[in-house]
mmCIF file of all heavy atoms in Angstrom:
data_model
loop_
_atom_site.group_PDB
_atom_site.id
_atom_site.type_symbol
_atom_site.label_atom_id
_atom_site.label_comp_id
_atom_site.label_asym_id
_atom_site.label_seq_id
_atom_site.Cartn_x
_atom_site.Cartn_y
_atom_site.Cartn_z
ATOM 1 N N ASP A 38 16.973 25.449 -17.922
ATOM 2 C CA ASP A 38 17.181 24.236 -18.555
ATOM 3 C C ASP A 38 18.736 23.924 -18.844
ATOM 4 O O ASP A 38 19.503 24.837 -19.166
ATOM 5 C CB ASP A 38 16.519 24.157 -19.901
ATOM 6 C CG ASP A 38 15.019 24.254 -19.728
ATOM 7 O OD1 ASP A 38 14.364 23.436 -19.051
ATOM 8 O OD2 ASP A 38 14.339 25.267 -20.091
ATOM 9 N N GLU A 91 31.462 20.660 -8.249
ATOM 10 C CA GLU A 91 31.135 21.966 -8.973
ATOM 11 C C GLU A 91 31.488 21.850 -10.477
ATOM 12 O O GLU A 91 31.228 22.737 -11.177
ATOM 13 C CB GLU A 91 31.883 23.151 -8.323
ATOM 14 C CG GLU A 91 33.386 23.009 -8.388
ATOM 15 C CD GLU A 91 34.080 24.159 -7.600
ATOM 16 O OE1 GLU A 91 33.416 24.766 -6.748
ATOM 17 O OE2 GLU A 91 35.264 24.309 -7.818
ATOM 18 N N ARG A 92 32.246 20.745 -10.852
ATOM 19 C CA ARG A 92 32.430 20.401 -12.302
ATOM 20 C C ARG A 92 31.116 19.974 -12.957
ATOM 21 O O ARG A 92 31.037 19.890 -14.240
ATOM 22 C CB ARG A 92 33.618 19.599 -12.574
ATOM 23 C CG ARG A 92 34.924 19.994 -11.920
ATOM 24 C CD ARG A 92 35.512 21.183 -12.913
ATOM 25 N NE ARG A 92 36.676 21.711 -12.253
ATOM 26 C CZ ARG A 92 37.937 21.468 -12.829
ATOM 27 N NH1 ARG A 92 38.063 20.856 -14.049
ATOM 28 N NH2 ARG A 92 39.049 21.918 -12.340
ATOM 29 N N LEU A 122 19.629 22.547 6.425
ATOM 30 C CA LEU A 122 19.544 22.317 7.853
ATOM 31 C C LEU A 122 21.006 21.728 8.440
ATOM 32 O O LEU A 122 21.571 20.917 7.800
ATOM 33 C CB LEU A 122 18.442 21.298 8.256
ATOM 34 C CG LEU A 122 18.388 20.827 9.748
ATOM 35 C CD1 LEU A 122 16.878 20.612 10.113
ATOM 36 C CD2 LEU A 122 19.254 19.600 10.094
ATOM 37 N N TYR A 152 8.570 31.160 20.751
ATOM 38 C CA TYR A 152 9.217 29.873 20.496
ATOM 39 C C TYR A 152 9.165 29.060 21.843
ATOM 40 O O TYR A 152 9.968 29.582 22.658
ATOM 41 C CB TYR A 152 10.471 29.816 19.651
ATOM 42 C CG TYR A 152 11.067 28.528 19.611
ATOM 43 C CD1 TYR A 152 10.957 27.709 18.439
ATOM 44 C CD2 TYR A 152 11.870 27.869 20.591
ATOM 45 C CE1 TYR A 152 11.393 26.535 18.197
ATOM 46 C CE2 TYR A 152 12.363 26.621 20.474
ATOM 47 C CZ TYR A 152 12.185 25.980 19.409
ATOM 48 O OH TYR A 152 12.642 24.665 19.113
ATOM 49 N N GLU A 258 -6.224 35.605 17.882
ATOM 50 C CA GLU A 258 -5.942 35.433 16.531
ATOM 51 C C GLU A 258 -4.724 34.808 16.210
ATOM 52 O O GLU A 258 -4.297 34.612 15.080
ATOM 53 C CB GLU A 258 -6.166 36.692 15.660
ATOM 54 C CG GLU A 258 -7.272 37.568 16.007
ATOM 55 C CD GLU A 258 -8.352 37.476 15.007
ATOM 56 O OE1 GLU A 258 -8.199 37.999 13.963
ATOM 57 O OE2 GLU A 258 -9.363 36.770 15.322
#
Side-chain angles (χ1 to χ4, degrees):
D38 297 299
E91 67 185 15
R92 298 290 178 112
L122 180 145
Y152 174 91
E258 311 261 285

